[in-house]
């Protein structure tokens, strides 16, 4: 496996860079497919990339630092590069090396209008973030409204145009991504970008003129802040940077001489320093890329593939040192190309064993010697002129060139014709070199010496070597290594000129190419306007000439340019001898030696070609093919030297002359054959067209005859149809008359019959109204009399009650009693309000009350247990007595049976005396069954007594249980009130301070007061008061005091009954149903008193509120239902009935529970309409809109499952739905278990309201 090299050349804009990318992508992909990804080549940042990806990622970095926009190309490479890819024995890519040639550093200081500087400057200015703008001192406010790229001197000279293919922002992202892929840290990337920004700020440094002490004009920096920013970003000392810009240091015989620079020289020094820094940084970037992509061991490399992207031949209006080096490179590559082509030609001729003479190829060695030979070469004399130091100049160098190559006085062309210069050109310092692509004129006074020296000033050396950043020192070391010549001895290294560096690189490149198999790619630019589908012939010819393609073609044509294998040669040219018989020269190569057959064919061909051309046959006739040949242009005779056609081992070699003649005769015979074939085809087409026309004419005739027959038949049919139409029309006229008469008769009969029926109905209706009037009159009279009787009875009862009340009012004792009762009730109310105000003080009282109640409950539970045990004993005793009584009854029955048997026996015995018969008859039979005959007897009275005792115990047990339940309820109320902070009572303090209570007692709501608590807490206060009164009165008033105590007890009961115990709303800690021992008491429980009714109502409300609280979160989130609202109006309609109507029909609603306060009575149910299925599917969540008025919970009278009052399957649907949809809704309403009915309180517009809700089934 031999190493390969691919040489890609072409002028700017021809596509060299893109072609290089394509070739590299192909080679790297080919090298990675054999073994896959070696290093887990992920392409994400932070992961280690494969070798292939690292090699490809190096292109964006090199393009950013080495490519720029020119007038011909938006992404022109301003340097040459040779990329060497290394492969191991298995063909796997191991790494790569990049070598660069001749970076165009002069572009940094100046570029023409419409062009740009290197891409990295514009990428940084346009793609940097706000943070980077602050870091790199890019202040937009100082630009005066200009873009940053137009504001800076180094980027705004050409107008800073945008690129057509990509933007600078995306270019910066790609460059940073490639840097991170190369393994560069963020700190290193920031330092590189800082140096780029420092170069931009360095270009902004301007100078002004001032006079020195000696009276000389020297340069002074205008804005020191710009210099400070540049020094900070470059990482160098500020004072040394100022010195490097304004002072030039020379060392003469060991002495240092400092020369102050003028403003123009200072600007040149500034640009020279910027070019030095950028060139050194470019070399450092290439070195860093090589460190990342190079292979580790040279022993692993079996072969390599090099890709050379080199600049093409250049010739401008003004050509300088760069164009001379570029054209010198192309001359060297063209010579290598010519040698390679000649070598291939020679090897192929030797391989085919043909006779050939020496082929001369264009040798441009004399042009190479003119440029590089010592001591008279152009570059050699340029190096000698550079060694003279300050004495050397471009003008002196051009003069020496003219004296060397044009020694005679009037000579304008050198002896080797490569160098030339007219008198006018010599005066202007211009000389011409004739390259292989043409003559190029170079202007000597364009800085040849300065560009060739490219030396680092002493001020710059001291600037970089001392007090500079680590990166600047590293970059400077790379620059020194590239520009200094290493010596084996201990002597200091000598500085190499640019031409010396370039010649060394070029020679090593040529040596590498000669050791490999070269392949050439010439890129051509179709037009200068960069437009598609446009090709300029002149420009393509120039590029072919500059690329050496025309020279290669000329070299090939000097030998045998046409080469065909034996089989192809015979098959291609056997048709030239159509008149030669088969036995003389066969048409097929089967069973024939190809080389011998070609030799025989060539001999016959030359023999036939030497004969005169004759197209007549032996009988004097001329065939059709010969007639066609006679009409065509006759080609040249096939007469040529036999040596112009060489028969090799496997190929036939021909020169251009024989090949052109053979091709001309081949085209001649092909044209004759094609003309003959065309004539036959045209004849066949005409015959086919005639047959088609004949068939078409016959078809038209047949069709015409058919049309004539059908027209005659149609006329007969129309005559018959007219007769039928006349008959039908007459029939329709008569039918119309008959129908009109029939309709009139029917209408007359209907009117007569209707009049008769209406008369009958009117009479019936008059009779009905008369009977109704008589009945209603009788009913009204009866109702009036009944009401009068009821009023009289009620009036009498009211009078009796009124008289009783008047008598009681006259009784002063009763008035005082009522007065005391009202005072006690007022005191109770004040005590309760005071207890509410003193929550913290009554907390201990509540706990003690709870403790006392709990002790009372424990005592009652013990008593209940005792009573249950006694009840169990009594029940056992009753069961025992019942069993004994049943046993006695069984014994009595047996005894009765025995007596009956004895009686029967006595009846069958002989007659007894009358006295004995009477005695026997006197014995009773029935009472014997209930008498106690044997043993201890149990009487029914004793059993009834025991049963009464059991009933008494059960009643006592039930009473104890009721008391225990009351105590538990009171404890729960006290605990709830204590936590609410409303009902902790301290009646001892409240009684003493009743005067401090305000008079607005009537504002207290009765629903907030617990009647049972008031009763339990007021009783301890009333009892001591009654005892004190009893002890204070005389014994003779004991009876009256006992009566007063009875009144106090009545007063206590009335106060307890006055305050209801129902509480609405949540208190915060309701007792769970499982933890309370409350007997089931509801609306249907048998109630004996008002107190029990209120307690049962309170327990039911508590249980309902607990259930509602558990269900409250679900209602608060919202439940989707379908709602019907039915209102019954109290007004009488037209038909005499109430106005019933469904206000809402089958509407989709969201039922939500909205709380407006702490209490449950302040909670309302809201009904919001929701969107349909399509709105939900499309995501159109419109804001819910209230579809009905909110329903407060205190307006709800009844909630029942199912559809109460209506058939759920017959509920109406909305009016907008179609018939099919209404049937669907009807089928959905078949399940009554999904319905819920809510009945609400009446409103001014509706005597009753009902809501029917259908819940979702899932």
């Amino acid at each position: 496996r031999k190493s390969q090299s691919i040489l890609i050349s072409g002028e700017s804009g021809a596509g060299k860079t893109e072609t290089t990318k394509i070739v590299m992508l192909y080679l790297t992909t080919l090298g990675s497919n054999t073994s896959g990804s070696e290093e887990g080549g992920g392409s994400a940042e932070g992961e280690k990339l494969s070798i292939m990806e690292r090699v490809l990622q190096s292109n964006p970095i090199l393009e950013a630092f080495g490519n720029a926009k020119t007038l011909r190309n938006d992404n022109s490479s301003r340097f040459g590069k040779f990329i060497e890819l290394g492969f191991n024995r298995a063909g796997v890519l191991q790494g790569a090396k990049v070598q660069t040639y001749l970076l165009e550093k002069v572009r940094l200081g100046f570029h023409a209008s419409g062009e740009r500087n290197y891409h990295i400057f514009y990428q940084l200015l346009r793609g940097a973030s706000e943070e980077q703008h602050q870091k790199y001192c890019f202040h937009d406010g100082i630009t005066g409204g200009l873009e940053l790229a137009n504001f800076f001197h180094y980027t705004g000279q050409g107008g800073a145009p945008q690129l057509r293919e990509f933007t600078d922002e995306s270019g910066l992202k790609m460059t940073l991504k490639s840097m991170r892929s190369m393994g560069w840290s963020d700190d290193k990337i920031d330092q590189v970008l800082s140096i780029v920004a420092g170069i931009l700020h360095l270009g902004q440094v301007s100078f002004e003129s001032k006079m020195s002490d000696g009276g000389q004009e020297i340069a002074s920096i205008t804005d020191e802040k710009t210099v400070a920013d540049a020094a900070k970003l470059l990482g160098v000392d500020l004072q040394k940077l100022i010195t490097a810009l304004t002072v030039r240091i020379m060392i003469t015989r060991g002495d240092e001489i400092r020369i102050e620079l003028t403003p123009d020289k200072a600007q040149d020094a500034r640009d020279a320093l910027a070019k030095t820094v950028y060139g050194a940084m470019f070399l450092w970037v290439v070195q860093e890329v090589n460190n990342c992509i190079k292979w580790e061991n040279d022993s692993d490399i079996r072969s390599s593939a090099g890709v050379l992207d080199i600049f093409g031949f250049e010739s401008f209006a003004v050509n300088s040192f760069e164009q001379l080096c570029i054209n010198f490179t192309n001359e060297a590559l063209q010579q290598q190309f010519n040698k390679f082509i000649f070598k291939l030609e020679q090897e192929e001729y030797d391989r085919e064993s043909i006779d050939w003479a020496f082929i001369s190829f264009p040798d441009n060695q004399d042009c190479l010697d003119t440029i590089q030979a010592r001591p008279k070469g152009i570059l050699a004399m340029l190096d000698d002129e550079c060694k003279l130091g300050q004495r050397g100049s471009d003008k002196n160098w051009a003069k020496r060139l003219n004296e060397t190559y044009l020694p005679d006085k009037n000579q304008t062309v050198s002896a080797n014709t490569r160098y030339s210069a007219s008198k006018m050109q010599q005066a202007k310092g211009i000389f011409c070199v004739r390259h292989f692509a043409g003559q190029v004129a170079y202007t000597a006074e364009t800085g040849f010496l300065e560009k060739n020296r490219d030396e680092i000033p002493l001020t710059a050396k001291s600037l970089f070597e001392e007090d500079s950043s680590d990166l600047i020192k590293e970059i400077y070391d790379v620059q020194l290594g590239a520009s200094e010549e290493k010596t084996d001895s201990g002597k200091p290294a000598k500085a190499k000129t640019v031409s010396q560096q370039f010649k060394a690189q070029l020679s090593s490149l040529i040596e590498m190419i000669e050791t490999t198999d070269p392949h050439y790619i010439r890129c051509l630019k179709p037009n200068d306007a960069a437009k598609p589908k446009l090709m300029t012939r002149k420009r393509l010819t120039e590029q072919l000439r500059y690329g050496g393609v025309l020279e290669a073609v000329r070299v090939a044509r000097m030998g045998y340019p046409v080469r065909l294998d034996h089989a192809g040669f015979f098959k291609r040219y056997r048709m030239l001898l159509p008149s030669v018989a088969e036995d003389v020269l066969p048409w097929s190569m089967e069973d024939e030696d190809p080389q011998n057959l070609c030799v025989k064919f060539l001999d016959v061909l030359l023999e036939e070609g030497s004969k005169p051309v004759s197209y007549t046959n032996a009988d004097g006739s001329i065939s059709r093919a010969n007639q066609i040949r006679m009409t065509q242009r006759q080609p040249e005779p096939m007469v040529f030297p036999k040596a112009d056609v060489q028969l090799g081992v496997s190929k036939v070699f021909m020169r251009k002359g024989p090949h052109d003649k053979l091709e001309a005769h081949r085209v001649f015979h092909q044209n004759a054959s094609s003309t003959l074939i065309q004539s036959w085809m045209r004849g066949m087409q005409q015959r086919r067209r005639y047959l088609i026309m004949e068939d078409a004419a016959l078809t038209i005739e047949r069709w015409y005859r058919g049309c004539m027959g059908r027209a005659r038949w149609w006329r007969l049919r129309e005559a018959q149809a007219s007769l039928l139409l006349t008959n039908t029309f007459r029939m329709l006229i008569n039918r119309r008359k008959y129908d009109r008469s029939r309709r009139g008769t029917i209408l007359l009969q209907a009117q007569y019959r209707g009049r008769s029926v209406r008369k009958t109905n009117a009479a019936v209706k008059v009779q009905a109204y008369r009977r109704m009037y008589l009945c209603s009159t009788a009913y009204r009279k009866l109702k009036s009399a009944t009401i009068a009787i009821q009023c009289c009875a009620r009036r009498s009862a009211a009078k009796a009650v009124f008289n009783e009340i008047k008598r009681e009012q006259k009784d002063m004792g009763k008035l005082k009693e009522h007065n005391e009762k009202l005072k006690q009730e007022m005191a109770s109310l004040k005590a309760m309000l005071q207890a509410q105000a003193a929550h913290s003080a009554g907390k201990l009282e509540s706990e003690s009350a709870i403790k006392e109640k709990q002790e009372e409950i424990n005592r009652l539970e013990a008593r209940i247990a005792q009573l249950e045990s006694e009840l169990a004993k009594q029940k056992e005793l009753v069961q025992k007595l019942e069993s004994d009584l049943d046993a006695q009854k069984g014994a009595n029955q047996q005894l009765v049976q025995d007596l009956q048997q004895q009686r029967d026996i006595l009846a069958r015995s002989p007659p007894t005396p009358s006295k004995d018969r009477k005695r026997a008859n006197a014995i009773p039979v029935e009472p014997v069954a209930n008498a106690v005959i044997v043993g201890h007897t149990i009487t029914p009275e004793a059993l009834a007594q025991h049963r009464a005792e059991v009933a008494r115990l059960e009643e006592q047990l039930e009473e104890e249980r009721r008391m225990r339940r009351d105590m538990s309820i009171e404890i729960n109320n006290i605990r709830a009130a204590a936590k609410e902070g409303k009902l902790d009572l301290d009646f001892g303090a409240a009684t003493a301070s009743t005067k401090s209570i305000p008079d607005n007692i009537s504002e207290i709501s009765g629903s907030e007061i617990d009647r049972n608590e008031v009763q339990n807490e007021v009783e301890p206060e009333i009892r001591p008061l009654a005892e004190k009164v009893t002890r204070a009165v005389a014994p003779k008033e004991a009876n009256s005091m006992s009566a007063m105590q009875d009144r106090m007890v009545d007063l206590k009961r009335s106060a307890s009954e006055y305050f209801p115990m129902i509480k609405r709303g949540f208190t915060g800690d309701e007792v769970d149903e499982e933890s309370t021992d409350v007997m089931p008491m509801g609306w249907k429980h048998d109630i004996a008193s008002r107190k029990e009714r209120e307690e049962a109502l309170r327990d039911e409300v508590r249980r309902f509120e607990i259930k509602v609280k558990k269900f409250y979160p679900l209602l608060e989130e919202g439940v989707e239902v379908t709602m019907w609202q039915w209102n019954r109006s109290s007004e009488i309609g037209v038909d005499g009935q109430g106005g019933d109507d469904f206000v809402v029909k089958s509407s989709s609603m969201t039922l939500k529970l909205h709380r407006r306060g702490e209490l449950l009575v302040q909670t309302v149910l809201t009904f919001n309409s929701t969107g349909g299925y399509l709105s939900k599917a499309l995501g159109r969540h419109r804001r819910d809109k209230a579809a009905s008025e909110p329903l407060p919970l205190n307006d709800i009278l009844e909630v029942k499952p199912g559809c109460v009052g209506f058939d759920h399957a017959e509920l109406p649907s909305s009016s907008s739905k179609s018939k099919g949809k209404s049937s669907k809704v009807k089928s959905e309403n078949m399940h009554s278990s999904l319905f819920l009915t809510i009945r609400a309180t009446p409103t001014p517009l509706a005597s009753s309201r009902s809501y029917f809700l259908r819940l979702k089934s899932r």
Side-chain angles (χ1 to χ4, degrees), residues 793-827:
R794 290 171 184 158
R795 182 181 59 188
S796 301
K799 283 183 178 181
V801 173
F802 179 69
N803 293 330
E804 182 67 23
I805 292 174
K806 287 176 65 177
R807 286 193 298 271
E808 290 179 358
Q809 290 293 332
K810 294 179 181 180
D811 191 354
M812 296 301 294
K814 289 187 177 181
L815 289 176
K816 291 182 179 180
E817 184 179 350
H818 286 305
N819 191 16
E820 291 296 331
K821 184 176 180 180
L822 291 176
K823 288 182 180 180
Q824 291 293 336
E825 289 179 356
M826 293 294 292

Side-chain angles (χ1 to χ4, degrees), residues 33-135:
N33 284 340
T34 55
S35 62
S37 180
E38 293 182 349
E39 302 175 7
S43 59
E45 294 183 7
E47 299 182 4
K48 190 174 182 181
L49 301 179
S50 63
I51 295 176
M52 179 191 75
E53 292 173 334
R54 291 203 302 270
V55 171
L56 295 178
Q57 287 293 333
S58 64
N59 280 330
I61 301 177
L62 297 178
E63 289 183 4
F65 286 90
N67 287 26
K69 182 185 184 312
T70 62
L71 296 176
R72 296 183 178 182
N73 186 11
D74 282 358
N75 191 26
S76 176
S77 298
R78 307 318 299 164
F79 69 101
K81 63 176 178 290
F82 180 76
I83 305 173
E84 184 180 4
L85 305 176
F87 300 89
N88 59 10
R89 293 181 179 273
V92 179
L93 180 65
Q94 298 295 313
K97 290 181 180 179
V98 180
Q99 185 175 0
T100 59
Y101 307 99
L102 198 63
L103 177 68
E104 188 184 12
K105 293 187 290 185
V106 69
R107 177 173 291 273
L108 192 70
F110 172 77
H111 53 273
S113 177
E115 295 187 352
R116 299 201 327 173
N117 214 320
Y118 293 103
H119 291 328
I120 187 63
F121 296 113
Y122 302 92
Q123 291 177 1
L124 182 61
L125 290 174
R126 288 172 174 163
S129 61
E130 293 296 333
E131 181 182 358
Q132 290 175 332
H133 273 239
Q134 298 295 330
K135 183 186 297 183

Side-chain angles (χ1 to χ4, degrees), residues 6 36 68 78 105 130 161 163 175 317 347 386 454 629 636 906 913 921 937 959 988 999 1023:
I6 302 173
R78 307 318 299 164
K105 293 187 290 185
E130 293 296 333
L163 301 180
T175 303
E347 289 178 355
C386 290
D454 195 24
R629 290 188 181 97
E636 296 182 4
L906 290 176
N921 294 332
T937 61
E959 180 67 21
D999 295 333
R1023 189 178 293 108

Side-chain angles (χ1 to χ4, degrees), residues 156-180:
Q157 299 177 26
Q162 295 281 354
L163 301 180
R164 287 173 291 185
E165 298 296 332
F166 56 90
T167 62
D168 295 316
E169 291 82 357
S170 60
L172 180 63
K173 293 180 182 179
M174 181 61 68
T175 303
L176 295 178
K177 179 181 178 181
S178 300
M179 288 179 177
R180 295 188 180 97

Side-chain angles (χ1 to χ4, degrees), residues 1187-1244:
S1188 181
E1189 295 182 357
L1191 179 64
L1193 290 189
N1194 57 355
D1195 289 349
I1196 297 177
L1197 298 178
E1198 188 178 37
V1199 180
K1200 289 186 178 181
C1203 185
V1204 180
F1206 285 88
D1207 187 2
H1208 58 272
E1210 298 297 330
L1211 287 175
S1213 61
S1214 61
S1215 60
S1216 62
K1217 294 184 180 179
S1218 63
K1219 184 176 180 180
K1221 291 186 178 180
S1222 62
S1223 63
K1224 181 179 180 182
V1225 173
K1226 184 175 180 181
S1227 65
E1228 292 178 354
N1229 297 343
M1230 293 301 293
H1231 303 285
S1232 62
S1233 61
L1234 302 178
F1235 280 83
L1236 186 69
T1237 303
I1238 299 177
R1239 189 167 62 86
T1241 58
T1243 62

Side-chain angles (χ1 to χ4, degrees), residues 876-891:
E876 291 178 0
L877 180 59
V878 169
Q879 291 177 359
K880 184 177 180 182
L881 292 175
E882 289 178 351
S883 62
D884 293 343
L885 182 60
D886 293 338
Q888 290 180 7
K889 287 183 178 180

